[in-house]
Amino acid sequence: MELGKNKDEENDSLSKEEVETYLTKFARKLKKQPKISPRNYEILSRSSFLMLNNYFEYLIADLLSYYYNKFKNSLNEKEFKFTLKELNEYDSIEEATKDLIVKEVESLIIEKSFNELLEHFEDKLSISLEKDLIKWSEIIEIRERRHLIVHNSSIVNKKYISRTKNPFNYQIGDIVHIDKDYFLKSCSQFKLAGQLLIFNCWGNWDKDNIDNAIFQIMIQTFEDLNAKNYDLVCKTCKYSEQIEPKNEDQEDYILRIKVNNAISLKKQNKDSEVKKVLKKIKVGTATPIFKIAHNILRDKHDDLEELFTQSIIVDKLNLDSYLEWPIFDFVREKEEINKKLIKIFEN
């Protein structure tokens, strides 16, 4: 409201009443905008659903390509057939090797079923599928539903029922649909599976870059917090519990991941679980920002002003961070405390 402008040069600020009038008019126009018809929504949702499946398939292909390019010796015993003409088309052994890897990955994607690809990661590449966190049965159902849409006009067949164990109790001949809830759930399942596959491959195939991998886990939990994907945050944090920090940077990242986990639990009103997580977080020698987070999560607000003053200096905490970070939602909603904390930044 303070930043609103009008054409009155003597008074360039809008009154509260004027702002409310403009917002009311805008809301009315927005309400009059045509909504997507059920038919068009179904078309759009199906297109997005198919793209979502394709992107996950691209991820699988990218991970396989990375592995075989990094560990070329793993294909030493593999037999490949070349004609002399094909061999003469390459300028070097390296170029031929890269082309063979592309063909190997393509053949794996085309020839193997989704279940067989998962087994390939687990058995041949020694990559854990994190079955306690990822609901692969639901992802398999998503994949099979995709096949129905693409190859069978969305009509349920015997193959779908046998491969998925029919969790939605469809009858042969039923039509499958992609509604909003189903699409969002599918997106969440693919995102979790993709993230944990990437992190496991990263940890196994690129051990020299572990610091960055743990850093990315921390970043991802923070981004999911901002997106209010709380269940996804909790599962990613659960995955991180198996990581033993090897240096100070890793300890810092793991600590931040634990804090993000506690925030997501508090957002879901799981107070007893928040207490369990906080017991594992030691902030005695930590910087002020961690002490602030610890206190907020315990609903302890008495010494926040002093800690904020320290954090502005030590952690370079600024007003933008205060207004954006999810941890501060719990105090921003308390008017009296919020005013005091904002005043600290203004001094």
Side-chain angles (χ1 to χ4, degrees), residues 81-92 95-96 99 103:
K81 292 183 178 179
F82 271 105
T83 65
L84 184 59
K85 178 184 178 183
E86 289 173 330
L87 189 59
N88 287 329
E89 291 175 352
Y90 298 110
D91 293 328
S92 64
E95 186 180 342
D99 195 39
K103 290 179 179 178

Side-chain angles (χ1 to χ4, degrees), residues 35-47 177-178:
K35 296 180 179 179
I36 300 176
S37 69
R39 174 182 170 80
N40 288 339
Y41 183 86
E42 179 76 9
I43 293 171
L44 289 171
S45 63
R46 287 190 182 201
S47 299
H177 298 279
I178 309 298

Side-chain angles (χ1 to χ4, degrees), residues 96-134:
T97 301
K98 287 183 179 180
D99 195 39
L100 286 176
I101 290 172
V102 170
K103 290 179 179 178
E104 174 67 10
V105 172
E106 286 178 348
S107 67
L108 287 172
I109 295 296
I110 294 172
E111 295 172 8
K112 289 184 179 293
S113 68
F114 187 70
N115 281 342
E116 290 171 338
L117 278 174
L118 295 180
E119 290 173 3
H120 185 79
F121 271 87
E122 194 169 34
D123 299 335
K124 301 295 184 182
L125 308 184
S126 300
I127 297 299
S128 170
L129 298 179
E130 304 298 335
K131 293 178 181 178
D132 57 330
L133 295 173
I134 302 170

Side-chain angles (χ1 to χ4, degrees), residues 307-323:
L307 287 172
F308 264 76
T309 302
Q310 295 173 8
S311 187
I312 290 171
I313 299 171
V314 177
D315 302 300
K316 297 183 180 179
L317 180 66
N318 56 44
L319 182 58
D320 287 341
S321 298
Y322 174 72
L323 295 175

Side-chain angles (χ1 to χ4, degrees), residues 283-296 298 304 307 310:
V283 295
T285 58
T287 59
I289 192 65
F290 289 110
K291 295 178 181 178
I292 288 172
H294 202 266
N295 284 2
I296 290 175
R298 291 187 300 153
L304 283 183
L307 287 172
Q310 295 173 8

Side-chain angles (χ1 to χ4, degrees), residues 178-302:
I178 309 298
D179 59 25
K180 179 181 177 181
D181 291 339
Y182 182 85
F183 177 79
L184 292 177
K185 189 174 182 180
S186 301
C187 190
S188 180
Q189 292 289 2
F190 272 137
K191 186 175 183 183
L192 177 66
Q195 286 178 185
L196 299 194
L197 270 181
I198 290 170
F199 292 139
N200 275 342
C201 292
W202 198 335
N204 280 272
W205 303 341
D206 203 359
K207 295 182 183 294
D208 295 336
N209 201 14
I210 290 295
D211 284 11
N212 192 23
I214 300 174
F215 174 77
Q216 291 302 325
I217 295 175
M218 178 195 74
I219 293 298
Q220 194 57 60
T221 57
F222 180 76
E223 289 180 352
D224 285 330
L225 263 181
N226 279 325
K228 299 182 180 180
N229 294 325
Y230 301 133
D231 183 60
L232 194 55
V233 174
C234 290
K235 287 182 177 178
T236 307
C237 292
K238 181 70 176 176
Y239 166 82
S240 72
E241 290 178 3
Q242 63 186 289
I243 302 172
E244 290 290 336
K246 305 296 184 183
N247 54 50
E248 289 185 3
D249 285 339
Q250 292 183 17
E251 287 178 357
D252 180 74
Y253 302 151
I254 294 294
L255 180 56
R256 291 174 187 270
I257 292 170
K258 289 178 179 177
V259 171
N260 289 341
N261 188 28
I263 296 170
S264 68
L265 291 169
K266 191 172 180 65
K267 289 283 188 179
Q268 299 173 80
N269 298 315
K270 297 180 178 180
D271 295 334
S272 60
E273 294 184 46
V274 173
K275 290 179 181 178
K276 291 179 183 178
V277 174
L278 291 179
K279 286 181 180 179
K280 300 177 183 179
I281 298 177
K282 307 298 181 184
V283 295
T285 58
T287 59
I289 192 65
F290 289 110
K291 295 178 181 178
I292 288 172
H294 202 266
N295 284 2
I296 290 175
L297 290 166
R298 291 187 300 153
D299 295 318
K300 182 182 176 182
H301 305 142
D302 297 340

